[in-house]
Amino acid sequence: MESVIASPSAPVVAQPGSPLVDLSSDDHAIPSYLDVHYWWAYVHPNAVRVFERQWLASAILWGNYARLRDAALIDLGTRLSGRTLQVACVYGDLTTRLCRRVAAGGGQLDIVDVLPVQLNNLRKKLPADAPARMLKMDSSDLRLPDATYDRAIMFFLLHEQPESYRRRTISELLRVVKPGGQIVIVDYSRPRWWNPIRYVLGPVLAALEPFAHDLWRDDITAWMPKPWSERPFDHTSIFGGVYQKIVITR
Ligand SMILES: C[S@@+](CC[C@H](N)C(=O)[O-])C[C@H]1O[C@@H](n2cnc3c(N)ncnc32)[C@H](O)[C@@H]1O
């Protein structure tokens, strides 16, 4: 599908067949790490056909999809007014559930992703009257004004990004969320030494997800700008440390 250029105040466009809102600086720019390391998961046209299965998304997370999804949503609340941002599409039903909460609160949801194939797939999962916009742009260069959103959610994106992208993505999130707004991030972390999953997952991540071990080595604060890197925030370890959730109040 063709995408169009529009301003951030463009109308809500979740309906099937409606154009994507393209706010990227370069229409064709796919970050090289996606093309090189994640073509099979997101970029290839067959990727959606293979991976858009709830059971598969859950299997990849060792049966923890629902637990992680709900952990991410619980901090945001059940009726979300104002503006909510989701950075990067996710296979499975995270966004449909988030969108229900946004609709219940009379709010608006913006979902950004750099791949039109992923935004188009997500749009098909949302009801036609969903209060949601699909914005094609890079998380490390959000074409959105400062302090626009009441809250933001990011689910398993950071471990896929090389460090320079990861740093810029976190800075952009902190920039576009309003002071007092919440940012919820769920991703991998270093499993506890006693967790047997650690010894299987380590080599799998090393083979398939070359930047994921950064999240085993360092806390997410390592890629935050000051003063955020020095502030305490809510941290929850999940499934014996395999996953983490952090909640930042902007
Ligand atoms: C959120 S991550 C991983 C989600 C998780 N593995 C799942 O689907 O259950 C996958 C998404 O991030 C998107 N993505 C990766 N790098 C991006 C970037 N720099 N800007 C925007 N979206 C990006 C990919 O296009 C893909 O749709």
Side-chain angles (χ1 to χ4, degrees):
M1 170 173 305
E2 231 179 281
S3 52
V4 295
I5 307 288
S7 78
S9 56
V12 169
V13 287
Q15 291 82 3
S18 60
L20 300 180
V21 179
D22 187 342
L23 297 167
S24 53
S25 47
D26 175 351
D27 200 15
H28 303 290
I30 297 177
S32 60
Y33 67 87
L34 273 183
D35 257 343
V36 173
H37 302 293
Y38 288 101
W39 62 268
W40 51 275
Y42 308 120
V43 183
H44 194 279
N46 286 339
V48 163
R49 239 169 287 158
V50 173
F51 286 100
E52 188 53 83
R53 291 177 166 82
Q54 191 70 37
W55 67 266
L56 186 52
S58 191
I60 289 167
L61 296 173
W62 301 89
N64 286 282
Y65 185 96
R67 180 178 179 186
L68 293 163
R69 173 200 68 205
D70 295 347
L73 293 176
I74 202 162
D75 287 287
L76 301 179
T78 50
R79 301 170 71 81
L80 304 178
S81 58
R83 303 185 77 156
T84 300
L85 176 67
Q86 178 183 326
V87 177
C89 294
V90 173
Y91 291 129
D93 64 359
L94 171 78
T95 313
T96 46
R97 287 174 182 249
L98 175 61
C99 199
R100 257 181 247 150
R101 291 171 182 233
V102 169
Q108 184 179 326
L109 175 62
D110 283 349
I111 302 122
V112 311
D113 200 290
V114 75
L115 294 176
V117 65
Q118 291 296 328
L119 290 166
N120 282 320
N121 175 54
L122 179 55
R123 182 168 43 196
K124 285 185 208 138
K125 294 194 285 180
L126 299 179
D129 60 351
R133 289 193 308 173
M134 312 288 139
L135 309 178
K136 179 188 171 295
M137 65 179 98
D138 195 306
S139 63
S140 66
D141 181 22
L142 295 178
R143 307 264 143 173
L144 298 164
D146 296 356
T148 302
Y149 294 94
D150 298 282
R151 62 197 71 81
I153 182 169
M154 190 161 63
F155 198 77
F156 286 93
L157 176 62
L158 292 181
H159 76 279
E160 292 181 350
Q161 297 190 311
E163 184 176 340
S164 59
Y165 271 89
R166 195 181 306 131
R167 276 184 192 284
R168 280 182 280 141
T169 293
I170 295 173
S171 289
E172 284 293 77
L173 260 182
L174 288 163
R175 181 180 68 75
V176 300
V177 172
K178 294 176 185 170
Q182 266 185 330
I183 300 173
V184 178
I185 301 176
V186 175
D187 217 307
Y188 286 106
S189 66
R190 185 184 190 77
R192 305 270 187 275
W193 67 267
W194 47 259
N195 190 337
I197 302 270
R198 171 180 174 145
Y199 304 98
V200 183
L201 185 60
V204 172
L205 289 181
L208 293 178
E209 311 216 54
F211 311 108
H213 273 279
D214 292 1
L215 279 92
W216 284 35
R217 263 191 306 272
D218 288 311
D219 289 340
I220 289 176
T221 46
W223 308 293
M224 285 183 190
K226 282 184 179 169
W228 304 103
S229 56
E230 291 160 347
R231 290 193 186 164
F233 53 83
D234 228 47
H235 180 276
T236 310
S237 180
I238 300 169
F239 199 50
V242 177
Y243 310 110
Q244 62 182 317
K245 174 179 77 168
I246 69 165
V247 181
I248 305 163
T249 302
R250 170 72 177 80

